[in-house]
Amino acid sequence: MGSSFWTVCLILASLVSSSFCALPRKPVDVPFGRNYYPTWAFDHIKYFNGGSEIQLHLDKSTGTGFQSKGSYLFGHFSMNIKMVPGDSAGTVTAFYLSSQNAEHDEIDFEFLGNRTGQPYILQTNVFTGGQGNKEQRIFLWFDPTKEFHRYSILWNMYQIVFYVDDVPIRVFKNSKDLGVKFPFDQPMKIYNSLWNADDWATRGGLEKTDWSKAPFIAGYKSFHIDGCEASVNAKFCATQGKRWWDQVEFRDLDAAQWRRLKWVREKFTIYNYCNDRKRLPQIPPECKRDRDI
Ligand SMILES: *[C@@H]1O[C@H](CO)[C@@H](O)[C@H](O)[C@H]1NC(C)=O
């Protein structure tokens, strides 16, 4: 969708209702070095086309990763990733936001690899005040190793939405009124990594990494960040309420987006902590905000 989409969308929004524009803005592509730097195992990151595309390599000696230069309080954070192809069992490709302090907040995408021809699992999780245990797991409706796909997180005062391309796969509403902590005052950095987790990743750890297939390679591009940059200790964001991701059309999903989320829940969801009465006998309060639970 190009700028004509936005023009039409803005006209409709002014005439009818703001919810016509509820799709996050498409990021512009910038080189890796503009917003990110390597975190560890620098020689396992490869750069192409002046850094407009990179690869992370995992082998028996080490995985690798990169992180954002800035810290952010609210915004829209996305990464275009092509997952490890072929036999990726035991590997985990992660894209997440984290505040990395004692009672940390975190918003996670984790892609669990699989044997050749077997499906990846996408696990998402949210940590608030150091507490996680909010896992959801889905299969994807495409093979994530064939092309780049956009994975993104919209985070504002009202909700956290996980998107795969333009499809919302999960929403975590601010349920402060129900006594649930919501990340709002701890800036987070963006992290990406590829590592070995064959003790749990694939079929619960039954399938081990086959090192004869190394190196395992994941591709990344589109390094734009749309967020309110803040110092690590900042408690609020200077542009709070003034940027596109703060606007009223991004404070809830619209009807079309709820329908797409429902489609993901019905067709692709493998696990949802909201429905796990064995592990969590009481329904977590925020789950009551899920429309069709
Ligand atoms: C891997 O494939 C198996 C068999 O199809 C499936 O049970 C499992 O959920 C898949 N994904 C992972 C990450 O284990």
Side-chain angles (χ1 to χ4, degrees):
M1 273 167 260
S3 56
S4 60
F5 169 79
W6 280 103
T7 312
V8 171
C9 167
L10 288 171
I11 294 166
L12 282 175
S14 62
L15 292 174
V16 193
S17 106
S18 58
S19 66
F20 275 92
C21 296
L23 275 182
R25 281 202 195 157
K26 197 173 169 180
V28 283
D29 295 346
V30 298
F32 175 81
R34 178 86 60 87
N35 290 317
Y36 290 95
Y37 65 91
T39 317
W40 89 98
F42 300 166
D43 61 340
H44 281 58
I45 305 188
K46 313 288 173 203
Y47 301 84
F48 303 91
N49 305 326
S52 64
E53 193 175 324
I54 70 155
Q55 289 177 345
L56 300 189
H57 287 223
L58 162 68
D59 59 27
K60 201 160 188 180
S61 69
T62 183
T64 186
F66 59 94
Q67 69 185 67
S68 62
K69 293 177 178 170
S71 298
Y72 302 89
L73 251 180
F74 308 122
H76 176 252
F77 308 95
S78 64
M79 190 57 63
N80 285 23
I81 312 176
K82 191 156 111 184
M83 300 300 156
V84 174
D87 188 342
S88 59
T91 72
V92 173
T93 306
F95 162 43
Y96 62 104
L97 306 182
S98 176
S99 64
Q100 300 253 346
N101 50 342
E103 298 199 347
H104 81 293
D105 295 328
E106 189 176 307
I107 306 171
D108 292 333
F109 276 106
E110 290 182 308
F111 301 87
L112 317 183
N114 217 334
R115 302 253 92 104
T116 306
Q118 302 298 313
Y120 264 73
I121 286 177
L122 167 52
Q123 169 165 297
T124 56
N125 202 357
V126 176
F127 283 72
T128 56
Q131 278 287 328
N133 298 328
K134 301 180 196 65
E135 294 88 354
Q136 293 187 4
R137 289 178 160 209
I138 65 169
F139 286 131
L140 296 163
W141 48 94
F142 53 85
D143 179 347
T145 73
K146 288 276 185 282
E147 314 275 351
F148 282 91
H149 288 269
R150 188 193 316 285
Y151 304 97
S152 52
I153 293 162
L154 174 81
W155 171 36
N156 58 34
M157 208 40 144
Y158 303 86
Q159 61 178 356
I160 293 166
V161 187
F162 296 76
Y163 294 89
V164 172
D165 295 321
D166 285 331
V167 179
I169 60 147
R170 176 171 185 176
V171 57
F172 184 81
K173 309 284 289 179
N174 187 336
S175 300
K176 186 166 173 264
D177 56 329
L178 302 177
V180 180
K181 283 188 185 165
F182 186 83
F184 77 103
D185 64 349
Q186 307 197 102
M188 300 201 248
K189 286 184 197 268
I190 306 155
Y191 298 85
N192 279 272
S193 55
L194 172 61
W195 83 92
N196 175 47
D198 67 3
D199 55 330
W200 62 273
T202 309
R203 293 215 296 129
L206 292 176
E207 305 281 348
K208 299 298 176 193
T209 304
D210 179 355
W211 294 111
S212 75
K213 305 279 169 42
F216 301 99
I217 300 173
Y220 296 78
K221 47 183 205 190
S222 189
F223 300 101
H224 176 71
I225 297 174
D226 250 346
C228 175
E229 194 163 349
S231 75
V232 177
N233 300 318
K235 291 282 174 236
F236 66 94
C237 166
T239 63
Q240 175 65 40
K242 302 194 182 104
R243 306 296 299 276
W244 70 261
W245 56 82
D246 288 322
Q247 301 309 303
V248 74
E249 61 268 33
F250 296 102
R251 295 179 187 174
D252 194 3
L253 300 183
D254 63 20
Q257 290 189 318
W258 276 110
R259 277 197 297 279
R260 302 192 91 179
L261 177 58
K262 196 163 178 235
W263 173 76
V264 171
R265 287 185 180 158
E266 285 172 1
K267 299 256 190 306
F268 300 100
T269 300
I270 312 163
Y271 177 83
N272 184 347
Y273 78 109
C274 284
N275 303 331
D276 189 346
R277 286 293 84 72
K278 263 196 212 128
R279 183 172 156 217
L280 307 163
Q282 302 275 24
I283 298 186
E286 71 277 15
C287 295
K288 296 180 186 138
R289 290 259 148 86
D290 282 3
R291 291 216 182 161
D292 57 356
I293 190 171

